[in-house]
């Protein structure tokens, strides 16, 4: 689960982040990226300088650069809370993850002003007039690279009122988390097995293209394979395949390639370990070539799900169809 926090100054984003941390969420802040950049320049961190640094980074590297940098640090199996989201492009980029939900914290201006007076940060507004002027400046701007809180708030999935006590806020967060958890989307079986195949492909020793296949029966993986030179032969990446080492045109001189294909290795691994694959499903990162197609048919595999078209897909697809093997692109 990836929870994003947005809201105006003094809305209580820090309190919600702190509470989520106590529940096991890992904390990330887009503002921390700006603080690091300012420190590199040897300058003092102020609210104005944070805003200026954010505007300059978005203008130079793209409006979603801060979210992009945070996303690089996240793992799919952990829960995170991301604070200081202030531009709609950051929201759009974070929404590339299916489990992202944006909370917009709200409270009255007078209440928020009292809170920032109580926290006593050096750079916070000291009068209510200063407070309103600061908020107006941060709320919207004609510069798309600047803070755009109004446009960001509109993209929120949930409103989180913070107009009462801390226990009340915590209770509201818990209720919201339960609501979000019910909406949480699990990956489909196709995505699950294709993503596993992509990870298997990382083991490939082929220098030209990394491909992998997994064979599944009753939604259980019974064999995997990735492309590379045969068992006991020098790895392709170590010069074991002269054709690959020449880095010639894609699809040319395939008859000279010493590398076994991913589907071929998945099938032969099954035979090597005595595993029955009749009636199984094969997931592969590339559509099978003609040779692998013939092996798939003769091995009794009933369905092929692939991710990317292989250059020689036409004849292979026709043959699979004629043999009654279901073929789908995911």
């Amino acid at each position: 689960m990836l929870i994003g926090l947005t809201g105006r100054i003094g809305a209580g984003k820090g309190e919600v982040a702190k509470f989520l941390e106590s529940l096991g969420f890992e904390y990330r802040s887009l503002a921390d990226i700006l603080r690091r950049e300012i420190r590199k320049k040897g300058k003092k961190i102020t609210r104005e300088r944070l805003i200026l640094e954010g505007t300059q980074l978005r203008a130079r590297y793209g409006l979603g650069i801060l979210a992009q940098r945070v996303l690089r640090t996240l793992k799919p199996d952990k829960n995170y809370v991301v604070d200081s989201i202030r531009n709609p492009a950051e929201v759009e980029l974070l929404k590339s993850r299916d489990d992202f939900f944006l909370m917009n914290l709200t409270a009255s201006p007078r209440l928020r002003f009292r809170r920032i007076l109580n926290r006593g940060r050096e750079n916070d507004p000291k009068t209510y007039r200063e407070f309103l002027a600061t908020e107006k400046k941060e709320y919207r701007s004609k510069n798309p690279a600047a803070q755009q809180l109004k446009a960001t708030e509109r993209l929120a999935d949930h409103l989180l009122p913070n107009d009462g006590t801390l226990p009340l806020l915590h209770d509201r967060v818990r209720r919201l988390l339960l609501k979000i958890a019910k909406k949480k989307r699990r990956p489909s079986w196709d995505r699950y097995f294709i993503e596993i195949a992509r990870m298997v492909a990382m083991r490939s020793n082929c220098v030209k293209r990394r491909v992998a296949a997994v064979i599944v029966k009753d939604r259980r993986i019974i064999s995997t394979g990735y492309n590379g030179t045969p068992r006991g032969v020098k790895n392709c990446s170590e010069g074991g395949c002269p054709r690959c080492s020449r880095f010639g045109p894609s699809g040319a001189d395939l008859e000279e390639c010493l590398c076994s294909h991913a589907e071929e290795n998945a099938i032969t691994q099954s035979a090597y370990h005595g595993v029955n694959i009749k009636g199984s499903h094969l997931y592969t990162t590339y559509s099978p070539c003609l040779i692998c197609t013939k092996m798939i048919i003769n091995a009794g595999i009933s369905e092929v799900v692939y991710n990317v078209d292989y250059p020689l897909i036409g004849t292979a697809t026709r043959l699979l169809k004629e043999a009654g093997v279901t073929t789908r692109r995911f």
Side-chain angles (χ1 to χ4, degrees), residues 2-16:
L2 179 59
I3 301 296
L5 301 178
T6 192
R8 305 189 200 184
I9 180 173
K13 299 182 293 296
E15 288 296 340
V16 173

Side-chain angles (χ1 to χ4, degrees), residues 95 100-104 153 155-159 183:
K95 281 189 174 180
F100 175 73
F101 297 90
L102 181 64
M103 293 184 185
N104 176 28
E153 287 175 353
L155 298 174
D157 300 291
H158 303 281
L159 287 178
K183 293 181 179 179

